[in-house]
Amino acid sequence: MLVCIEGVDGVGKSTIASEVRKAFTLNNVILCSDPCREHPATLAIRQFLLARGKTLPVATQIQLFEAARAILMHDFIMPALRSGALVICDRFWLSTIVYQEATELNKYPIDILFYLSDSKDNIKSRISKFNIVSDFSTIDDIALDVLNSRYRKAIADNSEHISRVVDVDASSISNAVEHIVQVISDVLPHMTIYNKDFDV
């Protein structure tokens, strides 16, 4: 099963994805990111995109994201799914639609999409506190509204590629982790939850 965790920059995706993975320690679970940090080729693409940022033409950014995603699918996700693993992906192709406004993408099927949301003040605080690099030049209330609207539209427009969407309140990281773990456990009852302390 492929689970994707999405949301705007600073909403807590990476932290929550990591904690969900920890909850299923010793199960057949793969945690990855898009672009993937765990593969040398996609890590190089990721670092290049972070270094160049908005200086690259948008079409080039989209092509690089697509190349990295194809490697991620071929080398990580598909082999893991064939082995019966639960794959948790921190971001996926929806973010390219939202941030780069891509219209033509390879839209790989998603079994469960967890869409994280939080207050604008909390998101801006995290971006500032952790020095998060955003795809937007400035993150203010208007930018966050735009991003959230784009996400909602992208999710609605691509419903045929997403089997289930679950909205998650990320104002409490521990509650968000508990919510996601419970949904996954309901779908995959054979999974054992080893870490039930979600006090992040």
Side-chain angles (χ1 to χ4, degrees):
M1 185 171 78
L2 176 59
V3 164
C4 295
I5 298 180
E6 283 282 3
V8 302
D9 293 330
V11 79
K13 292 180 302 301
S14 298
T15 300
I16 289 170
S18 177
E19 291 301 315
V20 171
R21 171 65 186 89
K22 285 180 190 175
F24 292 114
T25 298
L26 303 183
N27 289 275
N28 187 9
V29 181
I30 303 296
L31 173 62
C32 57
S33 56
D34 181 3
C36 184
R37 299 179 183 91
E38 296 76 25
H39 191 293
T42 54
L43 178 60
I45 293 171
R46 182 188 189 94
Q47 291 172 330
F48 179 70
L49 282 161
L50 285 172
R52 291 294 302 274
K54 291 290 186 179
T55 65
L56 288 173
V58 173
T60 303
Q61 294 176 42
I62 293 169
Q63 289 172 340
L64 288 168
F65 279 122
E66 282 274 82
R69 196 168 296 122
I71 295 168
L72 172 64
M73 286 297 298
H74 182 270
D75 288 3
F76 278 93
I77 294 179
M78 292 309 299
L81 292 177
R82 283 194 293 269
S83 76
L86 166 65
V87 179
I88 303 168
C89 195
D90 174 1
R91 279 208 162 142
F92 208 36
W93 48 263
L94 273 166
S95 61
T96 308
I97 295 174
V98 171
Y99 284 94
Q100 280 73 39
E101 299 186 77
T103 55
E104 298 296 328
L105 287 177
N106 289 314
K107 297 167 183 174
Y108 305 101
I110 298 169
D111 294 304
I112 306 179
L113 172 70
F114 292 100
Y115 182 67
L116 309 182
S117 59
D118 197 355
S119 72
K120 296 170 189 173
D121 286 342
N122 283 350
I123 291 170
K124 289 185 290 186
S125 175
R126 283 194 201 103
I127 288 172
S128 175
K129 180 178 178 181
F130 298 108
N131 198 26
I132 295 169
V133 178
S134 174
D135 291 307
F136 264 36
S137 55
T138 59
I139 290 291
D140 54 23
D141 288 356
I142 295 173
L144 289 171
D145 283 339
V146 168
L147 289 171
N148 187 56
S149 294
R150 286 185 189 173
Y151 260 116
R152 292 296 182 189
K153 184 176 188 311
I155 291 167
D157 289 349
N158 293 281
S159 58
E160 71 271 25
H161 305 290
I162 306 167
S163 297
R164 182 178 177 188
V165 179
V166 177
D167 286 310
V168 178
D169 178 357
S171 57
S172 163
I173 297 293
S174 57
N175 288 347
V177 172
E178 186 172 8
H179 183 184
I180 293 170
V181 167
Q182 186 59 58
V183 170
I184 293 172
S185 297
D186 289 345
V187 177
L188 301 174
H190 65 279
M191 301 282 284
T192 303
I193 304 172
Y194 286 92
N195 176 16
K196 295 188 179 182
D197 179 10
F198 302 119
D199 187 16
V200 181

